[in-house]
Amino acid sequence: MSTTESSNSEFYTLDIGGMTCASCVGRVERALNKIPGVEAASVNLATEQARIRVHRGSSNLAEIIALVQKTGYEAKESSVRGNPDQKIGKSFWAADGLGRVILSFVLSAPLFLPMFFMPFGMHWSLSGWWQLALATPVQFILGWRFYVAGYKSVMAGAGNMDLLVALGTSAAYGLSLYILLTSSHAHELYFEGSAVIICMVLLGKWLEARAKQQTSEAIRALQKLWPAHAKVLNLDVELQGNVGIGADQYRDLALEQVLPGDKVFILPGERIPVDGVIIFGSSHVDESLLTGESEPIKKSVESKVIGGALNGEGVLIVIAQAVGIESVLSKIINLVEEAQTQKAPIQKLVDQVSAIFVPTVIVLALMTGLGNWLYLDSISIAILRAVSVLVIACPCALGLATPAAIMAGTGIAARFGILIKDPQVLELAHKLNIVAFDKTGTLTIGKPRMLALLPFDTSLADADQILATAAGLQSGSEHPLAKALLVSSKEKGIAPIATSFSKGLPGIGIEGIPSTGPFAGQTLRLQSVASLEASPPYDMVLQTAQAYFAQGQTVSVLMNSGSESNRAPSPIAVIAFGDELKPNAKSAVNALHALHIRTVMLSGDNYSAATRVGKIIGIDEVFAQIMPSDKAQMIHQLQNPPGVQRQYVAMIGDGVNDAPALAMADVGMAMSTGTDVAMQAAGITLMHGDPTLVADAIDISKKTWDKIAQNLFWAFAFNTIGIPMAALGYLSPMLAGSAMALSSFCVLSNALLLKRWRPKNG
């Protein structure tokens, strides 16, 4: 979708046509930011898109589009996501199409080919009038786009690459025409210079368009995962035994017509069209393009499936839960698109430079022309050198340096399950000193099992009654420990006791009043042992729980928090939970150590339990018994240790309680197996919950940042070296045009080298 909304803002995505360089980007952004109600606007040259956040009700889309068009650029609402061929099939004769490039070279070849025979003593060239006949259509038909765009930029009060090309080629063409009309010496004409400049710029634009398409391959690959239709079962179809579905038992609906709750029929080898839960069948499902998981995953009844994944050998029937923009695939595409259209902080420097670049170049060209005319007393040489300065200074490479690298880096990262949604992390990743892990769901599988329930006073209630009471308190909760209690009670055939009142206690646990059973009417709490530290029962509970802590297990305590008949809080039972470490948790920590990054673990568990887990996987430092509300403060302390220089910290988490710490960290990474809140707070999402991807995410972030730095260095270096050479006559206009086109192509090609990146650890 091109338009999304929040409570107070509206978001628009526009396709912008006619941008050619960093100066164009700056001009469009300045125009957008002047619109009343626009809160923020970001324009990207590589994607040719603008993203605008507008205060609700202040400006509508038509007004925004009209203003962009008034600035001199084409604008339209971005195509609906899901069309994998958008921005690809451009016409052969489009402004940056191959047809114009070929025709320009065909017309220009007779003008510049004779130059290659001069070293062999062959000084042959067309007559001046033939040169005029060939150069004119190149200049004013194939090159007309430069005049139009240059004129619009002048009318908008700024300059761009097209203006430089139009001025430079017009000067060379005009000088040649003047000489032709006033002299008979064809060898003094420079029609080949103006024609070849236009040829090379057109070639450069075509190469840029092709490279831009390659940087967008990650998005298109994800978009192509969406099947166009889904087989939705009729309401009267009953699933019994080895059911066979006939063609008359389902409807082949367009994907946008499928609703949550529909039963979708999926044949072997088909793409799964929706997110949902399997209610019939089993199969292996390939989710590699979505999660980076290389091996097909076994799926059976009650397994969740992701829309866009490839079904293997079995027939499946899935209850649709999320479709369209609510699906995981849509959210992945949205994250990647946001990353590719946002700017890294270093781009601000580029924007500031580009705002004054074109006017500065025009002044330098005028000074070059005037200086050479006065020094050499030759108007033709002075004009040619000024033309060379105008042409070689075109800031295409400068405008493409950052967005091309971001698009390539975030695209290849997404292919392997690393979603980078905030380009700022690219700048910070290479500075990281510390990685802080949450424990549950990040280093552990996140599916704890109840291992033991020890009552303190069996005369009050037996273990089954206590389990029924504890499970009743947790009914409806999504917390892993709550699920463990509910699963245990279900396995034992014990029905949870309903509560008449229940509320969550952040950082502590849950409180409720059972409706029936031995504790009916009493206020009970199921809480962590650490939260009891300041209360009298703490020592007694700790003594009982210590044996489980020593084994690295998590312990909760069911407390009677006091009632009319029993004022003093008293423990009812200790409940121990075990959660398996992820198989690759240790290798994830080792990979970070290989990068010379210190690892810490933040856990709400007892110190003994957390320390044991830390030792098993090689964590450098463990911080235990930390309340969720204190995790963000812990990150701040890690960033600012006393007496030591500022440290850069990454936080890895998966739960709602990790969100503040993820936001506080320099780089936040969320496991996609966790909550949406955590993923929104993090700059990076790791798609299949694999902690080894942490080191890989840091690696691709560093490599992307390196490409940005390399591109900007060469773009600046190119102009720094090229402009003086052109001013001193070491570069002819033709060579300047070739070098300018080559610089843009080199920047894009350097960025595309990121496509060769592969995870080392995941």
Side-chain angles (χ1 to χ4, degrees), residues 516-528:
T516 61
F519 305 102
Q522 299 179 35
T523 301
L524 305 185
R525 281 186 180 182
L526 187 62
Q527 60 192 99
S528 65

Side-chain angles (χ1 to χ4, degrees), residues 218 288-292 410-419 755 758:
S288 57
L289 272 177
L290 290 162
T291 66
T410 55
I412 192 64
R415 179 178 169 187
F416 292 100
I418 301 167
L419 301 185
K755 294 175 67 176
R758 295 294 181 271

Side-chain angles (χ1 to χ4, degrees), residues 486-654:
L486 293 169
V487 168
S488 182
S489 64
K490 182 178 179 181
E491 289 175 348
K492 295 182 178 183
I494 299 172
I497 294 174
T499 56
S500 58
F501 163 81
S502 181
K503 70 174 181 179
L505 304 173
I508 298 174
I510 194 166
E511 183 178 85
I513 301 174
S515 301
T516 61
F519 305 102
Q522 299 179 35
T523 301
L524 305 185
R525 281 186 180 182
L526 187 62
Q527 60 192 99
S528 65
V529 175
S531 65
L532 281 175
E533 191 167 5
S535 64
Y538 176 69
D539 291 337
M540 179 174 61
V541 171
L542 183 60
Q543 186 176 0
T544 305
Q546 198 65 52
Y548 299 103
F549 284 143
Q551 299 174 49
Q553 294 167 6
T554 301
V555 180
S556 294
V557 57
L558 183 64
M559 291 286 298
N560 187 328
S561 62
S563 65
E564 293 300 324
S565 58
N566 183 8
R567 293 283 180 181
S570 59
I572 297 170
V574 161
I575 307 173
F577 301 90
D579 190 7
E580 296 179 34
L581 282 168
K582 289 183 176 178
N584 43 18
K586 185 175 178 63
S587 58
V589 173
N590 290 339
L592 291 170
H593 287 160
L595 296 174
H596 308 289
I597 293 175
R598 186 163 70 97
T599 57
V600 303
M601 186 173 75
L602 308 180
S603 175
D605 267 359
N606 174 272
Y607 184 78
S608 299
T611 301
R612 186 174 185 276
V613 171
K615 284 183 178 179
I616 292 173
I617 60 177
I619 291 285
D620 294 318
E621 189 171 6
V622 174
F623 297 93
Q625 296 181 206
I626 297 176
M627 293 294 198
S629 57
D630 295 333
K631 284 186 177 180
Q633 181 61 30
M634 194 71 239
I635 294 294
H636 180 71
Q637 291 177 15
L638 289 170
Q639 291 170 328
N640 301 280
V644 181
Q645 65 178 3
R646 208 280 200 187
Q647 302 290 289
Y648 290 87
V649 181
M651 172 68 192
I652 323 298
D654 74 324

Side-chain angles (χ1 to χ4, degrees), residues 226-240:
W226 259 314
H229 296 83
K231 300 179 178 69
V232 178
L233 294 185
N234 299 332
L235 295 176
D236 57 354
V237 174
E238 294 185 7
L239 306 177
Q240 294 181 351

